Amino acid sequence: WIGLKGVDFGEKGSSEIVASVCGGAEEGIIQIRLDNLQGDIVGSLTIPAGDGAAYTEQVAKLTETVTGVHDLYFVFCGSGYTWDTWQFR
């Protein structure tokens, strides 16, 4: 997992995440959690299986529009995949 403190989603907030990912031999999932490592899962980014060489853009809707300042946690499930960039919008 990776944790980021004090992420400001602003007043308008974010309702989805976009990430550049590269799948491995098996599908993976990145859970997006707020405020603590065991916090509510507000989104899950599915990483499809792939050849391990080509990055694709994956988009996931969040379960709610996230506003304000939160600690943010990405929890990685599975293995063999990589991610390059991510953005909330």
Side-chain angles (χ1 to χ4, degrees):
W1 58 270
I2 293 173
L4 304 166
K5 287 207 156 287
V7 176
D8 190 351
F9 289 92
E11 289 181 23
K12 286 181 145 181
S14 298
S15 59
E16 67 182 9
I17 184 171
V18 181
S20 176
V21 299
C22 182
E26 297 179 14
E27 182 179 277
I29 294 175
I30 302 172
Q31 298 173 343
I32 297 104
R33 295 176 179 258
L34 295 180
D35 300 321
N36 65 66
L37 192 53
Q38 291 77 35
D40 291 337
I41 298 172
V42 295
S44 293
L45 190 63
T46 300
I47 314 301
D51 62 9
Y55 281 85
T56 61
E57 183 177 275
Q58 298 296 314
V59 179
K61 293 281 185 194
L62 302 180
T63 60
E64 62 186 81
T65 299
V66 179
T67 60
V69 177
H70 295 274
D71 292 342
L72 176 66
Y73 293 85
F74 295 107
V75 179
F76 302 95
C77 306
S79 62
Y81 59 87
T82 58
W83 69 332
D84 185 33
T85 61
W86 52 272
Q87 173 184 5
F88 285 95
R89 36 181 199 195

